[in-house]
Amino acid sequence: MLEKNLRKLRKILKQHTSGGIKNYINGREYAATGRKSFENHSPVDGSFICEVVSSDHRDVDKAVKSSLEAFETWKKMDHKKRKGILLKLADQIEKYAEEIALLESWDTGQPLRFTKKAAIRGAANFRYFAEKTIDAANGLSTPDTHHVNFTMKQPIGPIGVITPWNTPFMLSTWKIAPALAAGCTVVHKPAEFSPVTAQLLVRIAHEAGLPKGVWNTIQGMGESAGKSLTEHPGIKAVAFVGETTTGMHIMRQGASTLKRVHFELGGKNPVIVFDDADLERALDAVVFMKYSLNGERCTSSSRLLLQRKVYNKFVKRLTERVNNLKLGHPLDPHTEVGPLIHQSHQSKVLSYADLAQEEGAKILAGGKAPGGKLAQGCYVKPTLVEGVKPEMRIGQEEVFGPFLSVMKFSTEEEAVQIANSVRYGLTAYIWTKDTGRAQRMARDVEAGMVWVNSENVRHLPTPFGGVKYSGIGRDGGEYSFEFYMETKNISIAYDTHTVPQLGKK
Ligand code: NAD
């Protein structure tokens, strides 16, 4: 099966990346104005994939101008027509599902078993928001005695969408679909480590009949292309997914043009397992939520808090499961954990294994790169560390890899205290059969999203986002439109009130 997938991949690569990856502006592909480019390599074995253009402020300016022009017609387009285009786009994404999965696995190292779902989720995002193209503008009626007041929502303008390299295809659709449904236009800046499916996505959108200029994609580095996008006065809002420190830069960069920002940032999410939990289901969820998607997942539960009584039994079972995870080639359908995105990230994750030992924690599984055939890729063996104290760096910092820190607690209060001891607050997972305790924990943990007796199961109308250093704002359902649209109040008099009369004799 691996051989068959590799053969398919070679064909698809030829078709989609042989000319290199360029910017997509106003319905056409362009090299960067400064003629600069960089090489993109696969984390699987370091092999060269393609050349990618490296854009600067001139390319960004061209893309923003095109988005501003397209905004005038896109925002006024009949909503049924706009909806039709977005639905067609969803169909096209599904048509390319296999290409998307193979390319994303090769470009990012994510196992095929997960990237196979990228197109389905991406298409679902477009379908969901397409159905809302008209209702997105809904407002409130707040009449008073002498006036009718009503609000309407209107698209804010061109949006800068900046995405990271983890699950890049799905995440891009999660931002771009509601922006387009709202009537905004988009300039997308994908991550430099994962440019491939972003190019396919914008091509697919145009195949589906999206008018030129409505969606432009700029490839390149964060410090140049990304920075220019956040500083451009034509961009009204920035939807950003990435690291917390990058979010801080973007806030500063956008300050002088008063950018509205929406941030989905880092996490160090707790999964809290109480003595009375369904331990079998909890174990499945703990393994899935840390080692799926190579642990490169913002919502992953990277701190396991175990109640004292179940600690030994749970850790023993968990160690067996972690040692049993299938590390391997991402295009092998049996693979559960693939290579990390890049050598620099592999080194970062491995450095936390060294740090764990320096800090006095104990490595129960992994903690090193594999040898043999996998040595040429950016692999890290699934890692499990116990004896972690909340104040240790491995208990505080986001590792963003297949690396789980285990801690022990005695009481509910202690669990809350440990859970809240980090600067992040994206998700929390609570396992208990005591409903009162579940409610108290859900209330008291500092997180934007809490799952009780469940792993992360997304439901598109629910709000998605974090508190503290994990983000600003919410996505999902109506929440997305709060960001991509402005609320306008219209007040119409019944001509019954007294208008003040100044300067009258
Ligand atoms: P990153 O912050 O390094 O890069 C993200 C994007 O920002 C890239 O496109 C990059 O080119 C761009 N960028 C970098 N510097 C910039 C600047 N000064 N101005 C404008 N753009 C700039 O993040 P990453 O390493 O690609 O992704 C991993 C991070 O993303 C993790 O911290 C993870 O938790 C976070 N993440 C969060 C969520 C969430 O929903 N909260 C989801 C996915 C990933």
Side-chain angles (χ1 to χ4, degrees):
M1 199 62 190
L2 172 59
E3 276 313 310
K4 196 172 156 204
N5 284 338
L6 280 168
R7 273 198 302 279
K8 277 191 199 162
L9 173 78
R10 280 191 280 274
K11 213 171 122 200
I12 292 167
L13 277 173
K14 220 175 186 177
Q15 211 177 329
H16 293 290
T17 63
S18 57
I21 291 192
K22 302 200 170 66
N23 290 329
Y24 204 104
I25 304 173
N26 218 26
R28 275 188 52 200
E29 298 196 12
Y30 290 92
T33 313
R35 302 277 145 196
K36 278 198 188 154
S37 63
F38 60 94
E39 288 189 357
N40 181 32
H41 294 259
S42 171
V44 179
D45 58 6
S47 61
F48 175 75
I49 302 180
C50 57
E51 204 67 34
V52 184
V53 300
S54 184
S55 311
D56 64 23
H57 63 98
R58 292 166 290 182
D59 307 294
V60 169
D61 190 53
K62 186 151 90 178
V64 176
K65 281 190 177 135
S66 152
S67 289
L68 277 165
E69 203 181 311
F71 179 59
E72 292 310 311
T73 41
W74 181 245
K75 70 177 177 189
K76 289 184 193 142
M77 183 184 276
D78 185 294
H79 72 272
K80 288 194 197 107
K81 196 166 167 203
R82 194 154 78 211
K83 171 177 158 180
I85 293 172
L86 298 181
L87 288 175
K88 179 84 197 300
L89 212 161
D91 293 344
Q92 287 293 103
I93 288 178
E94 278 179 354
K95 196 178 114 189
Y96 282 97
E98 189 172 36
E99 275 99 326
I100 292 164
L102 289 166
L103 289 172
E104 185 119 311
S105 284
W106 189 242
D107 199 20
T108 66
Q110 291 293 343
L112 199 57
R113 65 169 67 222
F114 303 118
T115 55
K116 262 183 173 173
K117 295 181 184 136
I120 297 159
R121 269 292 307 274
N125 288 339
F126 272 100
R127 280 208 185 96
Y128 177 81
F129 286 108
E131 295 298 338
K132 294 188 171 290
T133 46
I134 185 66
D135 292 342
N138 284 354
L140 263 185
S141 166
T142 51
D144 76 0
T145 314
H146 298 292
H147 293 79
V148 173
N149 287 298
F150 63 95
T151 62
M152 60 168 72
K153 293 213 293 296
Q154 293 178 315
I156 187 170
I159 308 287
V161 173
I162 302 179
T163 48
W165 45 258
N166 70 309
T167 58
F169 185 87
M170 196 288 292
L171 271 176
S172 309
T173 63
W174 177 233
K175 298 283 169 193
I176 295 171
L180 296 184
C184 296
T185 51
V186 164
V187 180
H188 179 207
K189 209 302 277 171
E192 48 272 43
F193 284 168
S194 58
V196 175
T197 51
Q199 155 144 309
L200 180 55
L201 181 58
V202 70
R203 283 180 180 166
I204 290 174
H206 288 80
E207 267 182 35
L210 195 75
K212 59 183 188 177
V214 170
W215 176 346
N216 298 307
T217 297
I218 288 289
Q219 301 277 357
M221 302 297 158
E223 299 72 25
S224 45
K227 183 168 180 282
S228 304
L229 187 59
T230 61
E231 289 171 341
H232 201 292
I235 292 290
K236 299 301 165 206
V238 174
F240 168 73
V241 187
E243 278 191 23
T244 297
T245 44
T246 314
M248 292 172 183
H249 289 310
I250 290 177
M251 203 169 229
R252 278 191 286 271
Q253 291 160 197
S256 55
T257 48
L258 282 181
K259 289 279 182 299
R260 180 183 288 186
V261 292
H262 188 300
F263 287 164
E264 287 181 12
L265 310 173
K268 186 76 175 174
N269 311 302
V271 51
I272 306 166
V273 181
F274 285 93
D275 291 341
D276 67 342
D278 181 331
L279 296 182
E280 290 304 314
R281 286 173 71 83
L283 181 63
D284 287 342
V286 166
V287 175
F288 178 74
M289 280 312 299
K290 186 59 256 183
Y291 300 99
S292 60
L293 297 168
N294 298 344
E296 296 165 320
R297 175 180 197 154
C298 56
T299 53
S300 74
S301 46
S302 46
R303 290 182 296 152
L304 169 60
L305 278 58
L306 282 172
Q307 203 165 16
R308 209 160 276 277
K309 227 165 87 191
V310 288
Y311 186 90
N312 288 341
K313 187 175 158 201
F314 200 93
V315 167
K316 185 169 176 284
R317 298 277 313 281
L318 178 61
T319 310
E320 283 164 16
R321 288 282 288 272
V322 175
N323 277 321
N324 211 22
L325 285 166
K326 290 170 200 69
L327 183 69
H329 197 295
L331 297 189
D332 181 338
H334 298 109
T335 293
E336 292 172 321
V337 181
L340 304 187
I341 184 76
H342 194 266
Q343 244 168 20
S344 59
H345 192 56
Q346 178 195 30
S347 306
K348 177 189 155 184
V349 174
L350 288 171
S351 77
Y352 276 96
D354 297 337
L355 182 66
Q357 282 164 322
E358 282 164 32
E359 290 188 306
K362 185 174 164 201
I363 295 183
L364 298 176
K368 45 182 182 270
K373 264 207 228 154
L374 300 185
Q376 54 183 335
C378 306
Y379 292 89
V380 172
K381 283 186 169 183
T383 303
L384 181 65
V385 181
E386 74 163 345
V388 179
K389 301 269 180 306
E391 63 279 9
M392 289 178 179
R393 281 182 57 201
I394 54 164
Q396 291 284 325
E397 296 174 14
E398 184 184 45
V399 181
F400 217 57
F403 187 107
L404 178 58
S405 297
V406 189
M407 306 179 198
K408 206 181 273 182
F409 72 91
S410 301
T411 62
E412 202 175 303
E413 292 70 28
E414 197 190 351
V416 171
Q417 198 190 8
I418 298 173
N420 293 347
S421 69
V422 297
R423 67 176 187 159
Y424 298 108
L426 188 58
T427 63
Y429 305 88
I430 295 154
W431 288 84
T432 178
K433 283 187 185 147
D434 179 334
T435 49
R437 175 155 65 193
Q439 303 258 22
R440 291 189 296 278
M441 291 296 295
R443 180 194 61 198
D444 294 340
V445 291
E446 293 167 350
M449 296 167 280
V450 178
W451 276 269
V452 176
N453 297 331
S454 178
E455 77 283 20
N456 169 352
V457 179
R458 273 297 290 146
H459 179 49
L460 295 183
T462 59
F464 184 101
V467 300
K468 294 159 80 178
Y469 281 66
S470 285
I472 297 174
R474 295 289 176 272
D475 270 326
E478 299 306 315
Y479 300 92
S480 295
F481 296 126
E482 294 295 322
F483 179 70
Y484 296 113
M485 302 182 91
E486 294 278 22
T487 297
K488 179 187 274 180
N489 188 67
I490 297 162
S491 192
I492 303 174
Y494 289 115
D495 296 342
T496 54
H497 72 294
T498 310
V499 180
Q501 297 175 331
L502 300 182
K504 203 173 177 192
K505 281 211 174 132

